[in-house]
Amino acid sequence: MEIEKSMKKYILGIHNGFESGVSLIYDGKVLEAVSEERFNFIKVFAGIPKMSLNYVLEKYNLKVEDIQSVVYSRVTFKNNWPKYILKVFKKLIISIFRNPLLIKVYIHRIKTELHDKIFMNEFFNWMNSIGIDKEKIILLDHHKAHAWSAFSCSPFDDAIILTADGRGDFKSTTISEGDIRKGIKELDFLTSFDSLGFLYAQVTKYLGFTPHKHEGKVTGLAAFGDPNKTISVFKKIVSWNSFFGHWDTNLNIYSPHNINRQKNFEQILAPYKKEDIAAGVQKHCEDLIVLYIKFWLKKLNKTLPINICLAGGLFANVKINQKIAEIEGIKNIFVFPNMGDGGLTVGGACYKNFVDNHSTKIDFSNVYLGKSYENNEIYNLLNKNKDKINFTKMEDRPVEISKELEKNLVVGYFDGRMEFGPRALGSRSILVNAKNKSINDYLNKRLERTEFMPFAPVTPIDYASECYLNWREDQVASYFMTRTYDCYENFSKEHQAVVHIDGTARPQIISPNLNNRYYSLVKTYCERNKKKALINTSFNAHEQPIIISPDLALKCLIENRVDVLVLSDYIVKVK
C-alpha cells in the first residue's frame, strides 16, 4: 500500500521488551499496530521487532528516511528524579529502621533497574544499524506512554488516568489527569518497591504458573477460593496507608521486584490452599486499587461522576476493571485494548502526535490494525492443499457458518485484519455455541489449554442489556473484552459455557460499525437459535500466539484443533 508521502509526518512507536512490536501513525490516525510474536510465533516475545518493522515499512512503501519520528518507551530514565529519590529515601529510612538488612534489597532493586539500560542501548544500536538518525528518536517515560495510549484512544474529553504494571522507568503505578485541550499531567506515582503487578506475578509463580504470562489463570482460579482465608496474610505483605493514600510493601516478607523463590513469602502462604491464595491476592489487589482511586477522587475534589482511563499490565485483570467501573463517582472506564507493554508503541506515537498537532486524540476506532490477506491469496493456498481438504466459496456467509455452529462443531474463524492486543475479537477467533458447559473441558483439551476461566462470550449489541447487569452502550471497555459483568440469571442458564462460577462473564459486545461481517454472523446465529451469545476464544493452541496467517489456520484444521475453518469467504473441511 502506497500513501502520498509529501508533507506527511509518519510516526513510529517501537517496543523491544515483552510483547515487542511496532505501530505507525500519520495525520492523527493509527495505520498499523502489530506484535512481533505474531510473526515469529514466540508468545510474548521480548526483543527487537525486526519482522514487525519490515512488514509496516513494506506495506506502506516507506523507507526509513520517510519516518519523521520514532518514539521509544521500554526504559528511558526520563524520570522526575528529585521526587523519585525522595520517595525511595523515605521508604528506605522506615524500612532499615525496622530491619537494617533491608538495605541489600534496595541496592539490588536499584542495580536491577539501572541494568535495564542495556535494552535502551540495544534499541539505539538497532536504529543506527538501519539508518535512523538519533535526532529522530524520542524517549518517553514508560508510564507516560501507557497513560497516553489510554487517554488518546479513549472517547473521553477529560478523565483520570491510572497506569499500573510490574515496573517501568522505576515506577509501578501512576495517577494523572487528562484534558482534551491541555494533554496529560502526572499527579503522583508509586515506585517499583510497591508494585502490585509484581505481587500478582509472584503469586502466579508460587501457584505453579508462568509469571508475565499466566496471571489470567490466577484470576480464574480465584473464583473457586475464599479470600477471607488469606486476605489477612496479603494485608501483612502489602498494607494500605490511609494518611498518604498509597499502599506499602513489607519488604521483610516480600521483595516485589523479585520473581525468584522467596523463603519468607513461601512460608507465609504455605498453610493455605491454592484456590484461597488466588482469591486472597485477587481481592486484595482489587481493594487496594479501589482505595487508591477513592483517595484521589476525594483529593482532586472534581465534579463527579468522572471517567477513568486504564493502561498497564495490571489492567489485563478484568475483575479489577469491573470493580473500578463500579466505584461510586466513576462514570465510565476505558481500558486500552493492548493494555500491557505491547501498547507502549501506540502510546508513544500518540504523545508525539500531540506535540506535532496539538491534538490529544487519535483515530483509534477499532483494534483491527494488523495483517490481512486477499481472497486470491487464500484461494491459492487452498488450491495447493486440495488433496487434503474440501472448500467452497460461501454464497450466504452468515447462514452457512451458523449451520455449522448449530451442529456443535468448532469453527476456526479467520477474516480481515488481525487484532492488536491479547484478545481475539472476531478476526482470528474460534467460535462455538455456548449452550453446554461441558464444551469447556472438551475444547480446552483439544487446544491443549489448562484454563480455570470459562470461555468468553461474543454478544450482538442488540441483546447486551438483556445479558449483562448495568451494561450501557457507552461502556467502550465491553467492546474490547476488557472487563467483566455480573450476568442476568436467564442468560447464565442459557449460556452456561461463558459464565464463570461467580456469575460473571467477560463479553465482547459486537456492533455493525466495529466489524459488520463478524456482527452479521453472530447476530444471524443468535436469531436462528434464540440465543444471545457464542463462545469466542483466541485462534491458537496452548502457549502459542494467536495465528496470523491462513496457512497456520489451515494447519490447525488439519491437526484437528477445529472442525470447520472459515477463511474469509471460503469454508473449509478436511477430506
Side-chain angles (χ1 to χ4, degrees), residues 166-186:
R167 64 181 172 92
D169 276 324
F170 297 80
K171 304 172 184 175
S172 64
T173 306
T174 68
I175 186 89
S176 305
E177 289 180 295
D179 182 275
I180 195 168
R181 295 175 301 278
K182 300 175 184 176
I184 293 174
K185 177 185 177 184
E186 186 176 282

Side-chain angles (χ1 to χ4, degrees), residues 13 110 217 262 506 510:
I110 292 170
K217 295 186 179 184
Q262 299 180 49
R506 183 193 67 187
I510 186 65

Side-chain angles (χ1 to χ4, degrees), residues 192-409:
S192 58
F193 289 98
D194 296 304
S195 169
L196 292 188
F198 272 128
L199 173 64
Y200 214 95
Q202 182 60 46
V203 171
T204 300
K205 180 163 186 177
Y206 176 82
L207 295 177
F209 306 121
T210 305
H212 309 311
K213 189 184 287 187
H214 293 157
E215 279 77 1
K217 295 186 179 184
V218 178
T219 309
L221 184 62
F224 295 88
D226 182 356
N228 295 319
K229 293 182 178 179
T230 56
I231 195 75
S232 60
V233 174
F234 284 105
K235 285 181 178 179
K236 291 177 184 176
I237 296 172
V238 184
S239 59
W240 174 250
N241 187 320
S242 59
F243 182 79
F244 290 107
H246 60 76
W247 50 83
D248 288 312
T249 298
N250 183 346
L251 298 176
N252 282 295
I253 300 175
Y254 164 65
S255 300
H257 50 276
N258 189 357
I259 301 299
N260 296 319
R261 299 180 71 87
Q262 299 180 49
K263 185 176 180 181
N264 291 346
F265 185 78
E266 293 180 351
Q267 285 178 341
I268 200 171
L269 293 177
Y272 302 100
K273 294 195 305 182
K274 287 186 174 183
E275 294 86 346
D276 297 332
I277 293 169
V281 73
Q282 176 68 31
K283 179 68 165 59
H284 194 43
C285 287
E286 290 171 3
D287 291 346
L288 290 174
I289 288 287
V290 168
L291 286 167
Y292 188 65
I293 292 171
K294 286 182 174 179
F295 174 86
W296 278 98
L297 287 178
K298 185 176 180 180
K299 184 171 181 176
L300 292 172
N301 195 29
K302 286 182 172 288
T303 301
L304 301 178
I306 192 169
N307 299 308
I308 188 164
C309 299
L310 308 169
L314 191 70
F315 300 116
N317 191 308
V318 289
K319 292 289 291 181
I320 287 178
N321 299 342
Q322 179 182 356
K323 295 300 181 183
I324 293 171
E326 293 171 347
I327 295 172
E328 185 177 356
I330 296 298
K331 181 181 180 182
N332 202 348
I333 71 168
F334 175 78
V335 187
F336 184 65
N338 196 353
M339 65 292 290
D341 282 359
L344 292 170
T345 62
V346 171
C350 286
Y351 164 77
K352 178 56 176 168
N353 181 69
F354 170 70
V355 172
D356 289 345
N357 302 322
H358 309 290
S359 174
T360 55
K361 294 299 174 179
I362 206 82
D363 185 347
F364 185 89
S365 55
N366 61 62
V367 296
Y368 306 110
L369 295 166
K371 189 170 175 61
S372 65
Y373 294 82
E374 300 297 330
N375 265 338
N376 66 319
E377 295 177 274
I378 292 170
Y379 174 81
N380 290 337
L381 171 70
L382 296 175
N383 199 43
K384 285 180 183 177
N385 290 274
K386 61 185 178 182
D387 58 322
K388 303 174 187 174
I389 58 173
N390 293 316
F391 65 94
T392 58
K393 193 169 185 178
M394 291 175 280
E395 293 182 5
D396 191 338
R397 196 172 180 276
V399 170
E400 291 182 49
I401 300 169
S402 293
K403 287 180 178 179
E404 302 297 338
L405 292 164
E406 289 160 10
K407 299 173 189 174
N408 295 326
L409 297 179

